[in-house]
Amino acid sequence: MNEAVPSYLSPTGQEIVFLLLGAVAVGSALLVVTTKQLVHAALWLVVSFGALAGCYLVLTAEFVAWVQVLIYVGAVVALLLFGIMLTRAPIGRSPGLDSGNRVVAAIVAVATAAVLVTVVIDGFRTAYADLTPGRGTAGELGSSIFRNWVLPFEALSVLLLAALVGAIVLSRTDIRGR
């Protein structure tokens, strides 16, 4: 009954693709926050979201991958680019975006990453989950959300509705405070 757990020293093809996509996602996410051009930051965000969708595909969560592509890559990045265009934000280099705290930010980022990697490796050292197809389908996710996670799902929908109403109130100029 003892099954052999795969070694970390001999990764499978899925694990190699997952690690490569993860490296692309992390690298493009770093470029999102370090570039001085807003449009380039939005385009690097597309690359980061695309790599994350690829990670979901490797983990056999096809529905989540397509939701990631449609909602985040399609809608959020388009909204971000429209926001940049409509607010007449500077398109070229923006030296005002640099606060001068790069060294401190890098030290804090490396320390945080070290703590997170240590905790994850220590917590999941012996854990192994075999990837079985079909766990990321729409039916499986829908039954999980509406059976086990219905209260947090509804709380999130109320929170998003409140944020939408607040954004409408803040954007209206014909409403005056009393």
Side-chain angles (χ1 to χ4, degrees), residues 22-147:
V24 168
V26 169
S28 58
L30 285 173
L31 287 169
V32 167
V33 297
T34 57
T35 187
K36 291 185 179 183
Q37 296 186 12
L38 290 176
V39 175
H40 289 181
L43 294 176
W44 283 117
L45 191 63
V46 168
V47 173
S48 181
F49 285 156
L52 188 60
C55 287
Y56 289 142
L57 281 175
V58 171
L59 293 173
T60 68
E62 296 86 8
F63 180 73
V64 179
W66 286 115
V67 166
Q68 174 81 18
V69 168
L70 291 175
I71 293 177
Y72 286 102
V73 175
V76 172
V77 174
L79 183 66
L80 183 65
L81 288 173
F82 278 125
I84 289 171
M85 289 188 303
L86 291 176
T87 58
R88 297 192 176 118
I91 300 296
R93 290 189 174 269
S94 302
L97 293 177
D98 191 7
S99 68
N101 294 327
R102 285 185 183 255
V103 175
V104 175
I107 291 170
V108 169
V110 167
T112 304
V115 168
L116 287 174
V117 167
T118 304
V119 166
V120 168
I121 288 176
D122 189 44
F124 295 102
R125 183 179 311 271
T126 59
Y128 178 76
D130 191 25
L131 295 178
T132 56
R135 299 289 305 224
T137 61
E140 187 81 24
L141 286 173
S143 68
S144 173
I145 286 175
F146 293 115
R147 278 195 193 129

